[in-house]
Amino acid sequence: MSDTIVPAFVLRNLADKLYEKRKNAALEIEGIVKQLTIAGEHDKITAIINLLTTEFTYSQQANHRKGGLIGLAAATVGLTSEAAQHLEQIVPPVLNSFLDQDSRVRYYACEALYNIAKVVRGEFIVYFNQIFDALCKLSADSDANVQSAAHLLDRLVKDIVTESDQFSIEEFIPLLRERMNVLNPYVRQFLVGWITVLDSVPDIDMLGFLPDFLDGLFNMLSDSSHEIRQQADSALSEFLQEIKNSPNVDYGRMAEILVQRAGSPDEFTRLTAITWINEFVKLGGDQLVPYYADILGAILPCISDKEEKIRVVARETNEELRSIRADPGEGFDIGAILSIARRELTSEWEATRIEALHWIATLLARHRAEVISYLNDIFGSLLSALSDPSDEVVLLVLEVLACIAKDAPHFRHLVVFLIHNFRSDHSLLEKRGALIVRRLCVLLDAERVYREFSTILEGEDDLDFASIMVQALNLILLTSSELADLRALLKQSLVNVAGKDLFISLYASWCHSAMATISLCLLAQAYQHASSVIQSLGEEDINVKFLVQLDKLIRLMETPIFAYLRLQLLEPGKYTWLLKALYGLLMLLPQQSAAFQILRNRLKTVPSIAFNTDQLKRASSGNPYSQILPVSEDIIRNQDSGNMHNAINFASRLQQFEHMQNQHRMHAKLQQQSRKATPSTLSQEMQKSDESRRPSPISDTTRPPSRSSWNSGQFQH
C-alpha cells in the first residue's frame, strides 16, 4: 500500500547518491504526509514510516540509509502537531543509525533527529536517556562533521529539556553516574555541560543527587586538558556555593568521596577536596560526627603537603574539627580517631606526627576514660614515637604519656615500658634518654619518677643494662636543672626524713654502679659512707668503664652543682671524711690522667690542718661508722649512736652495695668464660682508649658536660 501512496520516482530519488535528489524526494514525502495528516489517514502514514524504516534506514546500502533518515525527518515535519503518536516508530531507527559505520550516515542521523526534535519539542523527552546516551558517544566521534552535528543537536536537546516539565532527573542520574568515569575529553566536556545546564534549571534538584556524580567531577580536575579542569572546577564551585545556602544537604555520602580525593596525587584535586572538607566541617554539624575519623585521616597528611595553600587550609580545618566537642553517644567514634592518630604517628612528615599527638592529647583531656580503654592499642605506638628524630615530637609524646600516667597503675606501667624500651633499644637511651627522663621529671614529679625507676631497676635481671641505666640516671640527677629540688632534698639525707627515704630508695638500685653509688653519697654528704664504698672496691672493679665514670665525676665536681662540696674543703677539720673520700678517689686514678691532675690540683688548695694522733687512728681503724671528730653540726650528730632511730643504717647499706657488686663480678666472670677470650690488660685498654680519644661504648646520656675528658694521656699508666 505504501508503494502506491509514495510514487516510485520519489522512492527512487530518495535512495539516490546525490543529496539534492534525496532532499527533493524528502520534500515530496513531507507533502504526502501533510495531506494524509489533514485527512486523518494515520494508517497510511504508519505504512509510509514502516517503508522508510525497513526498506531504507535498515538497508545494506548507505544511500538508502541516508534517504531513509531524511525521509523520516520529512514525515515528522509533515505530521506537525500529530507527530507525537508516531514517535515510537520514527525515533528508534534514527537512534540506531548513530551507530552506523558510515560517518555520513551518522551525520544525517544527527540532522534527522535535530529536525524531528524541532517539531515534537517536549514530546521528545520520553526518549531523553537514549538520546543522551547516543549524544555522549557522538561527542567523541572520530569524524569532525559528525561532532559538529552532534553539538547542534545537543544544544537543541538542552533547550527542550530546560523548558520541559516532564524531564525525570531520577531516571537520568543512574545514566549520568555510569558515564562520569569515562576518560575521553570530549565526553567529559559533554557531561560537565549537561550537569551545568541541569543545575541551572530551578525545578531540577541536581544538588540532591550530587553524591552520585561528585566523584566524577573531582576526577576531571586532574584532566590533561586545561579547559576540562576549568569547567569541572567551575561546576564544583557552583555546587559548593549552593551547599552553603541549602538547609538540606547529604554531607555524609559526599564526605566519603572528599576523603578519598584529599589523597589524590594531583595537587589541584587535593586542594579542592580539602577546601570542600573545610566547608563541610563548618556546615555539616551532627551529620558529620560519624565521619570525623575519616575526615581526620584526610586532613593530617595534608598538613604536611608540599603545596602551601593545601597546608594552610588543612591546618584551618584541623583546628576547626578539634574545636568541635562531640560526645560518643552522638556517634563520635573515639577508637576510630585514635586509630587514625596512631597511624599518622609513623608519618614521614613531622608536622603530621605533631598534630596526631595533639589529637591524642585533646581526646585524653575530654574523654579520658574512653581513651584509657584503648590504651593497649596506642601505648606501644607512643613509646615507639620516643625514638622520633624530632625533639618536638618526643616532648609531645612525653606530655601524652605523662597525662596517661597520672593514675598510679599507668604510671608504673609507663616506667616499666620505658625501661623495657631502653633495654631493647640502647640507641633510644643514648639519643633520647636524658630528654625523656628530664621531661618526665617535670611533668610527673622528679622524686616520684626516680623512686619508680629505682624500684624497678633494683630487681633488673640484665645487670649490664642496669649498670648503664643507673649511670645515665645518676648523670641526669647530677647535671639537670629540672632536678635541682631533688638534689637539694638528697643533700638533707642525714638530717631530713624525706631526704633519708629518698636516699635509701635510690641507693638500692644505684648499687648497680659503684661510681653512681659514690656520686650519690657525695651528693647526700654521706662522706664517711662514700669513703667506705671506695675502700670496699676490689681489683676487678677498677676497670676501664669504672675509670671513665670516675673521670666524669671528677669533672662534675668542678661544676657549680658541687660548689657546696668544694666550699666544705675550706674546713678540713670538720669534713675529714670528705677529704679521705676524695683522696681515695685520687689513689684510684692513673697519675698521668687528666682527672688525676684536676683532683690533685683541687686538693692542693685545701687549707693545711694538724690532725692529732687519736683522730688519725680513729679515722683509719675501728668502726668505720664512728665519728672521729667532735663536730656539733646536725649532719654529724645524726650519725651518732644516740640518734640512730632517725639515722641511715650505713652498715646495712654497705652490705647491700657489696652484695650487688658481687653479683656483677660473678656476671662478668661468666661472660668472660662464655666468650673464651683472653682480655687485654687494663693498661693496654686504657692506652687504646687514650689514643683513639673516644669514650668507651657507654650511653651518650652519661657523657660529661665537657669534651676535655678525652684529652691526650688520660688513664695512661
Side-chain angles (χ1 to χ4, degrees):
M1 181 177 70
S2 58
D3 293 346
T4 60
I5 300 171
V6 181
F9 79 93
V10 173
L11 295 177
R12 191 166 50 251
N13 287 340
L14 195 62
D16 199 275
K17 63 180 181 179
L18 295 176
Y19 173 74
E20 286 300 322
K21 287 188 177 182
R22 294 198 302 273
K23 181 179 178 181
N24 291 330
L27 291 172
E28 291 290 339
I29 292 174
E30 178 185 340
I32 294 169
V33 171
K34 188 175 292 185
Q35 293 298 321
L36 292 174
T37 302
I38 295 171
E41 298 185 66
H42 286 279
D43 290 343
K44 292 182 178 180
I45 295 173
T46 299
I48 293 172
I49 293 172
N50 285 336
L51 172 67
L52 293 173
T53 301
T54 56
E55 300 297 327
F56 286 85
T57 59
Y58 291 127
S59 171
Q60 296 295 318
Q61 301 296 320
N63 289 329
H64 278 68
R65 296 197 296 275
K66 295 173 188 176
L69 290 168
I70 196 172
L72 288 173
T76 305
V77 173
L79 282 164
T80 60
S81 60
E82 303 290 326
Q85 60 184 296
H86 294 282
L87 284 181
E88 190 175 346
Q89 293 174 277
I90 296 171
V91 174
V94 177
L95 292 176
N96 183 68
S97 299
F98 284 140
L99 303 175
D100 201 284
Q101 293 182 351
D102 191 322
S103 62
R104 297 304 296 168
V105 173
R106 296 197 300 275
Y107 175 86
Y108 286 119
C110 291
E111 183 184 71
L113 196 58
Y114 181 89
N115 290 322
I116 293 168
K118 281 177 65 177
V119 173
V120 297
R121 303 298 290 187
E123 304 294 338
F124 190 63
I125 294 299
V126 67
Y127 296 100
F128 175 77
N129 275 14
Q130 295 166 268
I131 295 168
F132 179 88
D133 191 41
L135 286 173
C136 188
K137 297 171 183 175
L138 290 175
S139 64
D141 199 278
S142 57
D143 189 282
N145 292 324
V146 176
Q147 280 192 21
S148 298
H151 289 159
L152 285 172
L153 175 59
D154 180 50
R155 283 201 292 269
L156 176 61
V157 175
K158 285 174 180 172
D159 290 341
I160 294 171
V161 168
T162 55
E163 66 188 25
S164 173
D165 58 359
Q166 299 179 22
F167 176 73
S168 174
I169 185 66
E170 292 81 3
E171 294 179 8
F172 168 64
I173 287 298
L175 178 61
L176 176 63
R177 182 173 59 239
E178 181 184 338
R179 290 286 178 267
M180 287 301 289
N181 293 322
V182 174
L183 299 179
N184 187 282
Y186 297 108
V187 175
R188 283 184 161 183
Q189 281 185 306
F190 171 79
L191 294 172
V192 174
W194 267 101
I195 290 171
T196 304
V197 166
L198 293 176
D199 187 46
S200 68
V201 180
D203 294 335
I204 297 177
D205 181 24
M206 284 295 282
L207 184 60
F209 295 95
L210 182 57
D212 291 286
F213 56 88
L214 180 64
D215 189 60
L217 282 175
F218 267 93
N219 200 27
M220 294 180 190
L221 292 176
S222 58
D223 197 277
S224 57
S225 167
H226 174 73
E227 186 177 357
I228 293 173
R229 293 198 304 272
Q230 198 171 40
Q231 289 177 355
D233 180 50
S234 177
L236 285 168
S237 298
E238 184 63 33
F239 278 118
L240 185 57
Q241 192 59 44
E242 291 177 31
I243 288 171
K244 294 179 183 179
N245 300 326
S246 176
N248 300 312
V249 177
D250 184 359
Y251 289 101
R253 285 180 61 197
M254 289 189 284
E256 295 177 358
I257 296 168
L258 297 176
V259 165
Q260 294 296 322
R261 289 299 171 180
S264 169
D266 179 68
E267 183 181 296
F268 187 47
T269 304
R270 288 199 309 278
L271 176 59
T272 307
I274 206 70
T275 301
W276 274 62
I277 291 174
N278 180 270
E279 294 296 339
F280 274 32
V281 170
K282 295 175 183 176
L283 301 169
D286 295 341
Q287 278 195 52
L288 280 182
V289 171
Y291 300 94
Y292 276 3
D294 293 333
I295 291 173
L296 182 63
I299 292 171
L300 289 179
C302 289
I303 285 173
S304 302
D305 200 278
K306 61 183 179 180
E307 173 56 43
E308 184 180 1
K309 292 180 181 178
I310 296 175
R311 293 198 303 271
V312 170
V313 179
R315 284 191 177 279
E316 179 186 330
T317 309
N318 184 57
E319 294 303 320
E320 190 77 31
L321 189 64
R322 196 158 55 214
S323 67
I324 299 172
R325 291 182 173 270
D327 188 81
E330 301 170 355
F332 184 62
D333 193 341
I334 292 175
I337 291 179
L338 284 173
S339 179
I340 294 294
R342 182 186 64 187
R343 183 190 72 192
E344 296 304 331
L345 284 178
T346 59
S347 167
E348 62 178 309
W349 306 110
E350 178 184 353
T352 295
R353 299 195 299 274
I354 288 172
E355 289 306 320
L357 287 166
H358 280 312
W359 266 98
I360 297 175
T362 299
L363 292 177
L364 262 174
R366 295 177 184 171
H367 309 284
R368 180 177 178 82
E370 290 83 355
V371 173
I372 293 300
S373 68
Y374 292 100
L375 194 56
N376 290 337
D377 297 331
I378 64 172
F379 204 65
S381 298
L382 289 170
L383 289 173
S384 298
L386 290 174
S387 300
D388 197 281
S390 164
D391 284 351
E392 187 175 355
V393 170
V394 174
L395 291 174
L396 279 172
V397 171
L398 291 171
E399 287 186 16
V400 172
L401 289 173
C403 185
I404 293 171
K406 287 179 180 178
D407 302 328
H410 298 131
F411 173 75
R412 180 166 180 80
H413 290 157
L414 170 59
V415 180
V416 168
F417 277 110
L418 275 177
I419 290 175
H420 171 75
N421 279 24
F422 286 146
R423 186 193 307 112
S424 58
D425 182 7
H426 282 205
S427 65
L428 176 62
L429 180 60
E430 294 169 1
K431 297 175 182 178
R432 295 295 189 195
L435 177 65
I436 291 170
V437 174
R438 289 169 59 187
R439 190 59 185 164
L440 285 179
C441 286
V442 172
L443 296 169
L444 292 172
D445 179 61
E447 182 178 351
R448 185 186 181 199
V449 170
Y450 261 71
R451 280 179 179 272
E452 196 65 46
F453 267 115
S454 182
T455 300
I456 297 169
L457 287 171
E458 182 182 359
E460 173 62 43
D461 294 330
D462 187 341
L463 296 181
D464 290 335
F465 166 72
S467 178
I468 292 173
M469 188 71 210
V470 166
Q471 290 166 17
L473 291 170
N474 182 64
L475 186 64
I476 296 168
L477 173 63
L478 294 178
T479 59
S480 299
S481 59
E482 295 89 344
L483 276 72
D485 291 342
L486 199 63
R487 290 194 296 271
L489 183 59
L490 282 168
K491 289 176 186 177
Q492 301 295 313
S493 297
L494 303 184
V495 296
N496 182 291
V497 174
K500 181 194 76 171
D501 290 344
L502 177 60
F503 177 85
I504 293 173
S505 175
L506 297 187
Y507 192 95
S509 62
W510 258 236
C511 289
H512 281 295
S513 168
M515 195 47 57
T517 305
I518 295 168
S519 301
L520 183 64
C521 292
L522 293 178
L523 187 60
Q525 303 187 66
Y527 302 133
Q528 185 174 349
H529 186 65
S531 178
S532 299
V533 169
I534 294 169
Q535 294 283 352
S536 73
L537 296 174
E539 176 183 343
E540 60 268 44
D541 301 321
I542 316 300
N543 53 33
V544 174
K545 292 183 179 180
F546 174 87
L547 292 173
V548 169
Q549 292 297 317
L550 177 53
D551 176 271
K552 295 174 182 178
L553 176 60
I554 299 305
R555 296 177 186 280
L556 282 172
M557 288 169 58
E558 296 299 314
T559 64
I561 290 171
F562 280 103
Y564 71 93
L565 182 148
R566 299 196 300 274
L567 290 173
Q568 288 172 352
L569 291 176
L570 294 174
E571 302 178 82
K574 184 184 292 188
Y575 298 100
T576 306
W577 285 112
L578 171 59
L579 277 172
K580 185 170 182 181
L582 294 181
Y583 271 109
L585 294 177
L586 185 68
M587 294 304 108
L588 296 178
L589 285 165
Q591 293 187 43
Q592 295 183 1
S593 66
F596 180 89
Q597 301 298 328
I598 292 171
L599 183 54
R600 185 176 65 172
N601 290 339
R602 175 59 65 185
L603 291 173
K604 282 180 180 179
T605 63
V606 176
S608 300
I609 183 171
F611 293 97
N612 61 49
T613 305
D614 291 339
Q615 288 173 335
L616 291 174
K617 286 181 179 179
R618 291 173 62 191
S620 59
S621 63
N623 182 0
Y625 298 101
S626 62
Q627 181 61 40
I628 67 166
L629 295 175
V631 181
S632 61
E633 276 80 356
D634 291 338
I635 293 177
I636 301 302
R637 285 206 306 271
N638 195 44
Q639 298 184 24
D640 290 341
S641 59
N643 197 26
M644 285 304 292
H645 64 282
N646 286 327
I648 298 170
N649 187 343
F650 283 113
S652 175
R653 299 283 80 75
L654 185 60
Q655 290 177 1
Q656 186 179 18
F657 172 77
E658 290 176 339
H659 175 72
M660 184 67 76
Q661 288 300 303
N662 281 332
Q663 290 186 27
H664 278 268
R665 292 174 192 132
M666 291 175 60
H667 175 68
K669 288 179 181 178
L670 288 174
Q671 282 187 323
Q672 288 179 352
Q673 291 173 4
S674 65
R675 287 194 295 264
K676 294 182 180 180
T678 304
S680 59
T681 64
L682 178 60
S683 59
Q684 288 173 331
E685 290 292 334
M686 292 180 182
Q687 184 70 28
K688 179 190 290 186
S689 174
D690 225 19
E691 290 173 352
S692 64
R693 298 189 180 180
R694 294 198 303 258
S696 59
I698 62 172
S699 170
D700 283 353
T701 60
T702 60
R703 287 179 180 168
S706 170
R707 294 187 181 181
S708 59
S709 59
W710 308 112
N711 289 340
S712 177
Q714 181 183 3
F715 299 149
Q716 291 183 3
H717 288 292

